[in-house]
Amino acid sequence: MPISKWKIKGIVDGFDECGCCGRRGLKRTVAMMPLDADGNEDGTAEDVVYYGTSCAATSLSWTQDKVTTTARATQAERDQRDAYARRMLSIYAPVESAPVRDKARVYYGHNHSQRDTGVKATEEVAKLLDKARATLADATTGPARPSRIEDFRRYVVISTSDDRISLVRRVPEEEAERQEQAAAAQRRADKIQGRLQVVAALAAESARDVAYADDLTREWNVKAWQAAHA
Ligand SMILES: [Zn+2]
């Protein structure tokens, strides 16, 4: 029996062949997961099909516009989940191997309301990290994204005296460039009487979160970076 129901999982820019009619050279394809009779996802990542918008529209009995709009919105949600996963990993992956006491302080520092509620920080951190890693490993709409501490990059973060982020820049790999950037960043920080930090994170966006975090989170962030590059 042909599958009659699909769920749009996102939009893929780098995949140009329609899995339905075989047409090639498409600008993008729509990732769709088959649904069972009850409307539940019926399969794993391997069962996802990639159709051009025209064939996707036919399969769903939708207009192409509706397919494109839905696929873009779904993809935007995926991108947000990825960004959240990178934030969680940038904050918590460095304390994964920290003593329980430090791990608990970092976790409750970010989740005040869970203190003294019986929620176990160690378990929560493990769950958060598992989920974040699974999110970034999901290859439904593109290759897996980097998620290890070894994938962290360093960022210069300058915040103003009233604690707003004023600048986030990736630290260059090359030593001379790095020194030049450090000097320029220091001048800028001095000029606005702000604070200059160097933090390690999976993305510029998550570098902000690390820069805003408590001292202990940032201490472990530095340790993790040093351990990964010793
Ligand atoms: Zn097609």
Side-chain angles (χ1 to χ4, degrees):
M1 214 178 81
I3 297 160
S4 58
K5 285 186 178 167
W6 299 92
K7 182 180 177 187
I8 290 183
K9 300 289 284 180
I11 200 157
V12 191
D13 284 326
F15 198 73
D16 74 338
E17 183 178 352
C18 177
C20 180
C21 66
R23 200 174 138 204
R24 285 172 175 274
L26 301 169
K27 278 206 193 75
R28 60 192 69 88
T29 50
V30 177
M32 299 197 298
M33 174 78 89
L35 301 178
D36 65 18
D38 299 323
N40 300 312
E41 291 194 8
D42 190 19
T44 62
E46 281 165 22
D47 301 299
V48 170
V49 300
Y50 301 88
Y51 285 7
T53 44
S54 160
C55 286
T58 307
S59 307
L60 289 156
S61 309
W62 286 4
T63 64
Q64 281 197 51
D65 269 355
K66 186 177 175 187
V67 168
T68 308
T69 310
T70 307
R72 285 200 190 291
T74 312
Q75 189 59 43
E77 282 165 26
R78 297 186 80 87
D79 294 344
Q80 274 176 17
R81 281 201 294 274
D82 279 4
Y84 181 76
R86 281 191 277 268
R87 285 171 56 198
M88 293 299 106
L89 285 160
S90 299
I91 288 174
Y92 294 116
V95 293
E96 196 168 20
S97 55
V100 174
R101 194 167 151 271
D102 279 11
K103 204 186 282 189
R105 278 174 62 197
V106 165
Y107 181 76
Y108 294 127
H110 289 273
N111 301 277
H112 301 282
S113 62
Q114 291 181 13
R115 205 186 291 266
D116 304 322
T117 57
V119 170
K120 289 206 172 61
T122 318
E123 288 168 19
E124 291 306 310
V125 168
K127 266 194 262 174
L128 277 170
L129 291 174
D130 279 353
K131 195 174 168 207
R133 286 175 180 133
T135 298
L136 296 175
D138 183 316
T140 305
T141 62
R145 278 76 63 212
S147 64
R148 302 166 312 150
I149 287 180
E150 288 78 5
D151 300 314
F152 281 22
R153 296 288 172 261
R154 281 192 303 178
Y155 294 86
V156 165
V157 180
I158 299 176
S159 31
T160 60
S161 51
D162 58 346
D163 234 17
R164 281 177 301 117
I165 303 276
S166 148
L167 173 139
V168 181
R169 286 270 189 286
R170 171 102 178 258
V171 173
E173 304 289 337
E174 211 257 312
E175 180 60 29
E177 276 177 56
R178 189 154 60 214
Q179 282 176 12
E180 201 177 303
Q181 185 198 55
Q186 191 59 60
R187 280 197 300 277
R188 178 163 173 161
D190 290 346
K191 197 172 156 194
I192 61 166
Q193 294 182 309
R195 179 163 70 143
L196 171 66
Q197 294 183 75
V198 177
V199 300
L202 283 171
E205 214 180 37
S206 27
R208 293 167 173 262
D209 291 278
V210 177
Y212 266 132
D214 55 288
D215 292 347
L216 193 61
T217 301
R218 284 181 287 113
E219 244 172 65
W220 278 100
N221 183 271
V222 171
K223 277 186 208 170
W225 168 268
Q226 286 169 347
H229 296 85

